[in-house]
């Protein structure tokens, strides 16, 4: 522990020459590296090894303990000896940390609990992805994740109870993913844009976007879904390039509107129009982050993390980011099992392409979520729904005729509680979230991986 914190204090510069990174970046890297060493080998839907789980909880507690000493002064009442009340200032953990660190700890515990739920399952198993059982296999990996073990399922596929339970677990993890994304997006939004990023930007938004994209965004009739469908987003690189272009144009437009540099806009375009273009670009960013939650960080995000000096923000950003990654990984593993089940029943689907998004769940139809509950206090997350397969089977098989009727109709109050998404606390609302509520693509705050 002493060695670990010595490296953090030296800014990862073991020479002691003062050429290391900032404390904020050193702590962010430490959390990221710890998560990579602990969760990097989580290739299967199974509980974490007890010693690995113990190590994770011990070492993440060490790193998070730094935030206990990031405080601010708040007014408080104190009664004097003669019975009069006096207002004094006392120290309290900084508000954003006080609200979000407990929320992230709960999300952390929930994800580990969801992995523990798979200890009793026996309807699927894994084999090495080296083709040794190719003739018998129905889940052999031939995609870009060839190093992962392939899922094996009996020729009859999963039972109906197991299918429903897996979909329920996937939706539960999905809610945790959206909650972590909300915190991460909020922290990144509040980080200052570094001068190094601003200096690298072109002179105007049109140059950043390119003529074709610029014409689409500035068109009188703008439909964000149609705009995205008209672009080639077949590879991760193309999605990331589009995201970088749009983010840089948003920064350019915001700065010019803030400085009210009307001459540089040209007389043909008003500030109101530029504000409308900025909102459209943010809408596209919002949809991109939800349809492609697994893409790498954008150039703006990387630059913010690299040059950020606020230790509290670095801890929140890195912790929420690694929880996002873990949640997305678990969802992908569940999707692999469901895909193998489809292949067992219909081998013709073997070459069908599939993309995982944070709203991707066949058992739960797409619905428009109000982002306002994601700004409530984390105390409402106490109702954790964690069911093993055996618990779920017992709950599903002991239904009476009345409950079967309810299944075919509207859900009961208890069932609604089971599907209630976890909510998290962020101390500041999104600047454009309410303007996007009319779009069907809005299902949670923005994201980053």
């Amino acid at each position: 522990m002493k060695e670990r914190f010595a490296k953090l204090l030296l800014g990862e510069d073991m020479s002691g020459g003062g050429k290391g990174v900032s404390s904020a970046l050193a702590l962010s890297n430490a959390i990221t590296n710890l998560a990579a060493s602990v969760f990097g080998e989580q290739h299967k839907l199974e509980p974490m090894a007890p010693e690995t789980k113990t190590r994770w909880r011990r070492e993440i507690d060490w790193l998070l303990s730094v935030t206990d000493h990031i405080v601010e002064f708040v007014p408080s009442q104190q009664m004097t000896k003669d019975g009069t009340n006096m207002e004094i200032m006392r120290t309290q953990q900084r508000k954003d940390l006080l609200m979000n660190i407990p929320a992230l700890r709960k999300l952390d515990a929930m994800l580990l609990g969801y992995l523990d739920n798979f200890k009793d399952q026996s309807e699927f198993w894994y084999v090495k992805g080296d083709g040794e059982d190719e003739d018998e296999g129905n889940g052999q990996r031939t995609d870009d994740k060839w190093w992962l073990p392939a899922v094996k399922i009996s020729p009859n596929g999963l039972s109906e109870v197991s299918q429903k339970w897996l979909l329920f677990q996937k939706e539960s993890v999905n809610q945790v993913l959206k909650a972590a994304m909300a915190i991460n997006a909020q922290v990144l939004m509040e980080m200052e844009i570094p001068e190094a990023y601003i200096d690298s930007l072109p002179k105007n938004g049109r140059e950043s976007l390119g003529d074709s994209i610029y014409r689409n965004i500035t068109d009188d009739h703008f439909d964000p879904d149609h705009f995205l469908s008209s672009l080639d987003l077949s590879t991760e690189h193309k999605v990331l390039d589009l995201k970088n272009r749009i983010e840089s144009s948003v920064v350019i437009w915001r700065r010019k509107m803030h400085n009210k540099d009307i001459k540089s806009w040209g007389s043909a375009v008003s500030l109101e129009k530029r504000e409308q273009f900025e909102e459209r670009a943010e809408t596209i960013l919002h949809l991109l982050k939800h349809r492609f939650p697994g893409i790498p960080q954008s150039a703006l995000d990387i630059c913010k993390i690299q040059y950020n000096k606020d230790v509290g923000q670095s801890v929140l950003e890195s912790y929420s980011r690694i929880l996002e990654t873990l949640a997305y990984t678990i969802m992908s593993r569940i999707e692999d099992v469901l895909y193998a089940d489809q292949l067992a029943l219909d081998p013709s689907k073997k070459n069908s392409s599939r993309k995982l998004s944070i709203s991707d769940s066949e058992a739960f139809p797409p619905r428009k979520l109000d982002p306002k509950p994601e700004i409530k206090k984390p105390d409402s997350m106490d109702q954790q729904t964690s069911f093993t397969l055996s618990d779920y089977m017992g709950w599903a098989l002991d239904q009476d005729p009345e409950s079967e009727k309810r299944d075919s109709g509207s859900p009961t109050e208890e069932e609604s509680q089971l599907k209630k998404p976890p909510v998290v606390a962020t101390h500041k609302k999104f600047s454009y979230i309410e303007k996007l509520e009319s779009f069907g693509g809005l299902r949670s705050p923005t994201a980053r991986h």
Side-chain angles (χ1 to χ4, degrees):
M1 182 176 178
K2 287 182 180 179
E3 182 184 358
R4 184 179 297 272
F5 276 92
K7 290 179 180 179
L8 291 177
L9 290 171
L10 289 169
E12 300 175 357
D13 175 24
M14 301 302 107
S15 70
K19 299 179 181 178
V21 300
S22 66
S23 299
L25 181 57
L27 198 55
S28 174
N29 290 340
I31 293 175
T32 303
N33 293 336
L34 172 62
S37 65
V38 171
F39 302 123
E41 299 299 321
Q42 194 68 35
H43 295 331
K44 303 177 182 179
L45 287 175
E46 61 184 8
M48 288 178 61
E51 60 274 9
T52 306
K53 187 184 295 185
T54 302
R55 179 197 165 205
W56 164 252
R57 288 174 173 166
R58 181 181 66 249
E59 297 192 16
I60 196 65
D61 283 345
W62 290 350
L63 298 173
L64 294 180
S65 66
V66 175
T67 61
D68 295 336
H69 305 281
I70 301 176
V71 297
E72 61 186 356
F73 282 107
V74 294
S76 178
Q77 295 291 327
Q78 185 181 51
M79 184 174 289
T80 60
K81 292 181 179 180
D82 59 0
T84 59
N85 279 333
M86 185 192 320
E87 186 175 88
I88 63 169
M89 300 298 288
R90 63 179 178 85
T91 58
Q92 175 184 282
Q93 189 178 26
R94 205 171 73 188
K95 188 177 180 182
D96 58 334
L97 300 172
L98 184 65
M99 297 172 73
N100 289 321
I101 291 293
L104 289 171
R105 284 184 178 275
K106 289 183 180 180
L107 296 177
D108 186 348
M110 290 169 73
L111 287 176
L112 298 185
Y114 292 139
L115 285 174
D116 290 340
N117 293 343
F118 288 93
K119 63 182 178 181
D120 295 326
Q121 72 77 26
S122 58
E123 296 197 27
F124 63 89
W125 61 97
Y126 293 89
V127 296
K128 292 183 180 180
D130 55 6
E132 58 187 31
D133 292 327
E134 189 170 357
D135 294 336
E136 306 173 17
N138 50 27
Q140 189 63 44
R141 298 199 74 100
T142 56
D143 55 13
D144 54 349
K145 296 182 180 179
W146 50 267
W147 67 89
L148 294 176
V151 182
K152 300 279 285 185
I153 293 179
S154 64
N156 296 328
L158 297 172
S159 65
E160 185 177 353
V161 170
S162 292
Q163 284 181 344
K164 290 182 178 179
W165 180 77
L166 275 172
L167 289 170
F168 176 76
Q169 293 297 311
K170 180 183 173 185
E171 177 66 10
S172 300
V173 176
N174 185 22
Q175 301 304 326
V176 175
L177 172 62
K178 291 193 289 186
M181 288 165 60
I183 295 178
N184 187 266
Q186 184 65 35
V187 175
L188 282 172
M189 183 182 295
E190 290 173 0
M191 286 183 180
E192 292 185 4
I193 300 175
E195 288 296 326
Y197 180 80
I198 294 172
D199 293 341
S200 68
L201 294 176
K203 293 182 179 180
N204 54 62
R206 182 170 194 146
E207 186 179 341
S208 172
L209 292 172
D211 291 339
S212 177
I213 298 177
Y214 181 81
R215 281 196 302 269
N216 277 286
I217 290 181
T218 57
D219 190 69
D220 291 338
H221 305 288
F222 174 72
D223 181 355
D225 289 309
H226 176 71
F227 170 76
L228 289 178
S229 63
S230 65
L231 297 175
D232 179 13
L233 302 176
S234 56
T235 65
E236 184 181 89
H237 174 75
K238 293 177 180 178
V239 176
L240 186 60
D241 180 63
L242 176 63
K243 184 179 177 183
N244 285 331
R245 287 173 178 271
I246 293 179
E247 280 188 342
S248 62
S249 66
V250 168
V251 173
I252 293 170
W253 289 336
R254 278 182 183 168
R255 283 178 55 80
K256 293 205 172 185
M257 282 190 294
H258 178 71
N259 297 331
K260 295 184 178 178
D261 189 2
I262 300 177
K263 291 182 180 179
S264 65
W265 294 114
S267 57
V269 182
S270 64
L271 290 177
E272 290 75 14
K273 277 284 186 182
R274 293 296 175 184
E275 185 176 3
Q276 182 186 42
F277 299 159
E278 183 211 337
E279 290 175 358
R280 290 178 175 180
E282 286 181 333
T283 303
I284 297 170
L285 276 179
H286 185 84
L287 296 179
L288 273 179
K289 290 173 181 179
H290 286 79
R291 295 187 184 181
F292 306 94
I295 61 174
Q297 292 168 318
S298 65
L300 176 59
D301 292 342
I302 292 173
C303 203
K304 281 184 173 182
I305 294 169
Q306 181 179 356
Y307 291 95
N308 173 54
K309 303 297 183 184
D310 189 308
V311 174
Q313 286 183 336
S314 285
V315 171
L316 287 178
E317 190 283 327
S318 56
Y319 194 21
S320 59
R321 169 162 44 85
I322 59 111
L323 292 181
E324 274 186 56
T325 304
L326 177 59
Y328 183 78
T329 299
I330 296 174
M331 282 185 64
S332 299
R333 302 293 177 267
I334 296 175
E335 184 71 16
D336 287 342
V337 176
L338 295 174
Y339 181 64
D341 179 52
Q342 289 182 357
L343 290 182
L345 301 176
D346 186 3
S348 63
K349 294 182 179 180
K350 186 168 185 177
N351 295 324
S352 62
S353 60
R354 57 194 179 101
K355 290 183 180 179
L356 180 63
S357 69
I358 63 170
S359 57
D360 181 26
S361 181
E362 295 178 4
F364 300 88
R367 61 192 184 283
K368 180 180 169 185
L369 294 181
D370 185 359
K372 293 178 182 177
E374 308 238 322
I375 305 177
K376 293 180 182 177
K377 294 184 178 180
D379 295 341
S380 57
M381 287 173 47
D382 289 336
Q383 299 178 351
Q384 180 179 344
T385 55
S386 180
F387 296 97
T388 63
L389 181 56
S390 57
D391 294 335
Y392 193 90
M393 290 177 67
W395 173 69
L397 297 177
D398 293 340
Q399 289 181 330
D400 55 20
E402 277 191 30
S403 65
E404 291 179 4
K405 281 184 185 177
R406 290 198 299 268
D407 287 343
S408 60
S410 60
T412 63
E413 183 179 351
E414 182 181 356
E415 290 166 341
S416 299
Q417 288 292 327
L418 290 178
K419 297 180 183 179
K420 185 177 180 181
V423 291
V424 297
T426 53
H427 66 289
K428 189 175 177 184
K429 289 188 178 181
F430 291 92
S431 60
Y432 59 95
I433 213 71
E434 292 183 355
K435 300 173 186 176
L436 304 182
E437 289 182 353
S438 59
F439 291 101
L442 175 59
R443 292 191 176 85
S444 76
T446 53
R448 205 292 320 133
H449 270 273

